[in-house]
Amino acid sequence: MTVTSARRAAQLGFLQAIQQAQHEEMTRDERVILMGQDLRANVFGAAQGFLDDFGPSRVRDLPLSEAASVGLAAGAAMAGLRPIVDLTVASFMFCAMDQFVSQVAKSRYMFGGQARLPVVFRQALYYHGGTAAHHADRPYPMFMNVPGLKIMVPSNGPDLKGLLKTAIRDDNPVLCFEDATLWGRHGRGPAPDGDDHLIPFGVASVPREGSDVTVVGIGGGVRHALDAAADLAAEGVSVEVVDPRTLVPMDWPAILASVAKTGRCVVVDPANRTCSAASEIAAHLVEEGFASLRAPVLRVTSDDMHVPFSPKLEKQIYPSKEKVVAAVRRVLGMEK
């Protein structure tokens, strides 16, 4: 990799990661098609030049109906195509719940493996920006409860690119949740290794090693974990940050190994507290890693309430660096 290309990759943000992953996979495999609303005009910024490069048969603008979009993509996948569906905002997934749960997730099983569903659904976790309750949900825990779906929640651009390319090549349906709070500088990370940058599902990363407490971060929670770890280091506290990257499958061995080393765990999850991914991780640690724990597992999540339109009120309900610092101090018995 040249110095110029390495610098470009090191500054890979979320939109660039999506563009690169989709373009590379559409170039590699003519069965890969892009579907969604206003793609040909590149309204949402992740399909620049795609119409010119791949033509209207592979860049499909769809009507404003999430149920129709998801159902159409499922049928196209079973017929031999490999669709990538841009649903824009994760809250809109609720409009297509029957298609997701009854068709996409179950068809391969119910047809005895005779049907494959190589389809990827992309949607943004569009919270923390005053978009109010109809646009700001973080619904990935709901879909963790549906067998047959793989789920990725990357925390930086390079991981997003590598996971998305892996998802497009997978013969099973994948839900790609893109945390919009990471679209700026916090969405950047280390350079991918060439154009064939692939990250396997079910393999966590450890962006920061430590010895006193494990902080598992999900999506934007990784940023809060790393910021908190930097502040706590000044107090002599060594924080290990674990990023699962995919929630289904989950890298349980990596999480258990980290907690076996530190003896303490805090989970930072932007979703609502009840039945969250954080709750599942905490339950798993109690069942499988109880002997390693020297303190209760703590969750730093969003409050169980709808998202208010007021930016000042909205900000209070989400995880933050300050809340993570407070939770770490609590598990270490050093509350102020």
Side-chain angles (χ1 to χ4, degrees):
M1 181 180 289
T2 66
V3 173
T4 301
S5 62
R7 185 180 297 113
R8 173 180 59 81
Q11 296 176 346
L12 191 67
F14 266 39
L15 286 178
Q16 297 97 321
I18 295 164
Q19 284 229 146
Q20 289 181 21
Q22 293 180 156
H23 199 282
E24 289 170 13
E25 292 306 304
M26 291 179 74
T27 301
R28 173 182 173 273
D29 188 342
E30 63 181 10
R31 296 171 299 171
V32 179
I33 64 173
L34 190 59
M35 307 168 69
Q37 296 160 19
D38 300 314
L39 292 177
R40 294 177 180 178
N42 192 37
V43 170
F44 301 105
Q48 181 68 43
F50 277 52
L51 182 60
D52 293 336
D53 291 346
F54 301 108
S57 65
R58 297 183 65 195
V59 181
R60 306 285 187 91
D61 275 347
L62 300 180
L64 188 61
S65 171
E66 284 75 23
S69 299
V70 175
L72 176 64
M78 285 189 280
L81 296 176
R82 307 184 76 87
I84 308 166
V85 186
D86 187 347
L87 292 174
T88 66
V89 178
S91 296
F92 300 163
M93 299 174 75
F94 300 148
C95 301
M97 287 299 286
D98 180 50
Q99 294 294 333
F100 275 119
V101 177
S102 299
Q103 306 304 331
V104 173
K106 295 179 180 176
S107 288
R108 187 166 190 177
Y109 170 76
M110 294 192 70
F111 293 135
Q114 297 178 82
R116 297 184 304 168
L117 280 95
V119 55
V120 178
F121 297 94
R122 290 185 37 246
Q123 45 278 318
L125 303 170
Y126 203 56
Y127 66 107
H128 219 309
T131 54
H134 277 165
H135 294 80
D137 295 291
R138 290 84 56 219
Y140 46 84
M142 295 184 183
F143 293 94
M144 290 174 67
N145 192 248
V146 181
L149 300 174
K150 294 186 177 183
I151 298 174
M152 53 182 275
V153 190
S155 68
N156 60 76
D159 280 359
L160 172 53
K161 179 180 178 179
L163 290 168
L164 184 54
K165 286 170 67 69
T166 299
I168 295 168
R169 300 185 189 189
D170 200 305
D171 284 338
N172 299 286
V174 177
L175 306 185
C176 172
F177 291 95
E178 300 153 10
D179 195 320
T181 67
L182 300 171
W183 284 354
R185 66 181 180 86
H186 295 298
R188 308 185 192 284
D193 185 16
D195 291 335
D196 206 28
H197 172 65
L198 297 170
I199 295 176
F201 276 43
V203 178
S205 68
V206 182
R208 183 182 181 115
E209 294 188 355
S211 57
D212 292 328
V213 58
T214 298
V215 179
V216 180
I218 297 167
V222 175
R223 168 171 60 92
H224 299 309
L226 290 170
D227 289 347
D231 284 5
L232 288 161
E235 303 177 21
V237 176
S238 177
V239 176
E240 179 151 295
V241 178
V242 177
D243 179 0
R245 301 197 287 198
T246 63
L247 301 181
V248 181
M250 184 85 75
D251 190 350
W252 294 119
I255 296 172
L256 288 165
S258 179
V259 174
K261 177 171 68 171
T262 66
R264 299 173 177 86
C265 186
V266 172
V267 189
V268 190
D269 182 358
N272 293 339
R273 184 178 183 86
T274 300
C275 296
S276 59
S279 298
E280 181 63 22
I281 291 170
H284 194 92
L285 285 172
V286 170
E287 289 181 348
E288 302 295 334
F290 187 77
S292 299
L293 293 172
R294 287 180 274 171
V297 179
L298 296 186
R299 295 169 291 164
V300 179
T301 65
S302 295
D303 296 334
D304 286 334
M305 60 179 292
H306 294 302
V307 175
F309 174 70
S310 166
K312 289 186 177 179
L313 292 177
E314 181 184 11
K315 184 178 180 180
Q316 298 176 43
I317 73 174
Y318 300 129
S320 65
K321 176 187 73 171
E322 292 75 18
K323 291 180 181 179
V324 178
V325 168
V328 170
R329 286 175 175 158
R330 182 180 167 192
V331 297
L332 290 171
M334 52 184 291
E335 300 105 316
K336 293 185 178 179

